Amino acid sequence: MSTWTGQVGYPMLTVDVVETSDSVTLHIKQQKFCANGDNSSEQQWLVPVTVVSQSRDTPQCYLLDGREGKIVLEGARPGDWVKVNPKQIGLFRVKYSDDLLKRLLPAVKNQALDSADRLGIQQDLFALAKAGYSNTANLLTLMGSYETERNYVVLSSINTNLSDLAGLFNHLPCYEQFKAMRRKIFSKILSEVGWENKETDGHTDALLRSMLIGTLGHSGDTEVIEKCQEMFKQHISGGKQIPADIRGSVYSTVRSSGGDSVYEDYLQYSKKQISTKREIGYRGYLAAALTRNCEQRRLTLL
């Protein structure tokens, strides 16, 4: 216990596999996980490790009590996917070899892994890529396996991580490809969730719907942008009102895709609002919506 209470930080486990015709052996190596990718620390922990595989869903336990260790997996077959730290109960990051990571992709896509593991795999890999322990290409490849995901918590984490990456890509030639990848992940999910509330919706369905609309709108999905613009026009003309749970996402999408005409429409609409608080909100929206040609008008709104 002193290795956890007597020193700061937590470990990263690097996992590789060696297979024969009748055995599967994991090679595990530990080092301190550092957000800056530092490899100089000599710290070690007593790490309880659990493992499941494609052929065995009962966790196999192992105590890593040194820098490196080996686990002969019981019931596993060559070629199986392997998940270290099932249910994410252990306090450590897992770095899979390229081969083991590739095997996990179908398990993520067909949801052979439960939501906690699907969440943990991408959170670990994002943290590893951000720290420089893994490359971003592996992360983006993994993200592409979540097209069938429906769990809000998992999708919200993916969206947050992709938003962080967008800040790195938005000035690079590959940014349009990056946005296309985001559209590919989320567009099918929105088509299934729909734009309207349903009686069968849970509270996370409303959250998911709003997130998807905003994400796809800012990723250049023309169908979503056009629908948002149409909903916006009806809303400010006194027609069908935008549901409150997606209103912010629709406004944001229209703001990012509109121009001076949107500004004029919204300016006239804001003047009709009685509530001072609402008017301030509308004018804040307007200030953000202005193009560079209207910088002076922006100042008069705030």
Side-chain angles (χ1 to χ4, degrees):
M1 193 67 180
S2 62
T3 60
W4 294 96
T5 60
Q7 58 183 349
V8 298
Y10 57 88
M12 174 182 73
L13 304 188
T14 300
V15 184
D16 204 348
V17 64
V18 175
E19 297 175 334
T20 65
S21 60
D22 58 356
S23 70
V24 178
T25 302
L26 293 186
H27 288 231
I28 301 179
K29 181 178 180 179
Q30 67 162 296
Q31 67 182 87
K32 181 181 180 182
F33 174 82
C34 293
N36 63 0
D38 183 19
N39 293 312
S40 62
S41 174
E42 296 296 324
Q43 290 177 239
Q44 294 185 40
W45 287 259
L46 283 173
V47 187
V49 181
T50 53
V51 184
V52 294
S53 68
Q54 188 172 347
S55 300
R56 177 189 166 106
D57 58 6
T58 302
Q60 181 176 339
C61 301
Y62 171 79
L63 182 64
L64 181 63
D65 57 1
R67 179 70 64 188
E68 300 182 36
K70 297 181 181 180
I71 310 174
V72 179
L73 297 184
E74 300 172 3
R77 295 179 295 185
D80 278 358
W81 56 256
V82 174
K83 175 64 175 68
V84 178
N85 198 23
K87 309 292 186 182
Q88 301 301 117
I89 60 175
L91 182 58
F92 51 83
R93 298 291 186 188
V94 179
K95 178 186 177 183
Y96 295 99
S97 67
D98 289 348
D99 179 36
L100 286 175
L101 181 61
K102 184 178 180 180
R103 296 184 193 185
L104 282 168
L105 301 185
V108 170
K109 190 169 186 176
N110 61 32
Q111 300 189 7
L113 297 167
D114 68 17
S115 57
D117 288 327
R118 299 195 304 273
L119 174 67
I121 290 171
Q122 68 88 20
Q123 284 186 329
D124 275 356
L125 192 52
F126 178 79
L128 294 172
K130 190 174 182 179
Y133 293 112
S134 182
N135 62 64
T136 307
N138 282 344
L139 175 63
L140 295 178
T141 299
L142 174 65
M143 294 296 192
S145 300
Y146 287 87
E147 295 176 28
T148 57
E149 184 61 60
R150 296 298 176 270
N151 184 282
Y152 170 72
V153 176
V154 177
L155 289 171
S156 178
S157 176
I158 292 170
N159 188 49
T160 298
N161 292 340
L162 287 175
S163 295
D164 284 351
L165 288 176
L168 300 176
F169 286 117
N170 62 359
H171 297 299
L172 299 176
C174 62
Y175 186 50
E176 290 303 318
Q177 293 173 288
F178 177 79
K179 292 197 295 183
M181 185 202 71
R182 294 186 79 176
R183 295 195 298 268
K184 185 178 180 183
I185 293 174
F186 294 116
S187 59
K188 184 179 179 181
I189 304 173
L190 179 60
S191 68
E192 295 182 5
V193 173
W195 289 71
E196 303 289 339
N197 294 330
K198 306 180 183 69
E199 292 184 1
T200 56
D201 280 355
H203 73 283
T204 57
D205 293 302
L207 295 172
L208 179 59
R209 183 178 294 112
S210 177
M211 183 196 77
L212 292 171
I213 292 171
T215 297
L216 288 168
H218 286 276
S219 298
D221 188 301
T222 54
E223 183 177 335
V224 169
I225 291 172
E226 289 172 1
K227 186 170 181 66
C228 285
Q229 290 175 341
E230 179 59 31
M231 294 175 73
F232 175 72
K233 289 178 182 178
Q234 291 185 25
H235 183 84
I236 64 175
S237 64
K240 184 177 180 180
Q241 298 297 285
I242 302 171
D245 59 342
I246 65 171
R247 193 171 297 167
S249 295
V250 172
Y251 286 174
S252 178
T253 297
V254 173
R255 178 194 68 197
S256 64
S257 61
D260 293 348
S261 61
V262 173
Y263 162 77
E264 295 294 345
D265 289 341
Y266 220 103
L267 179 60
Q268 297 305 314
Y269 182 60
S270 71
K271 290 179 179 179
K272 300 177 183 178
Q273 303 309 305
I274 299 175
S275 167
T276 302
K277 183 177 180 180
R278 291 179 67 183
E279 184 175 348
I280 291 173
Y282 290 130
R283 293 197 172 194
Y285 168 88
L286 286 169
L290 293 176
T291 63
R292 290 188 177 182
N293 294 329
C294 299
E295 291 292 341
Q296 190 60 43
R297 299 184 75 180
R298 181 197 303 265
L299 296 176
T300 66
L301 288 167
L302 299 176

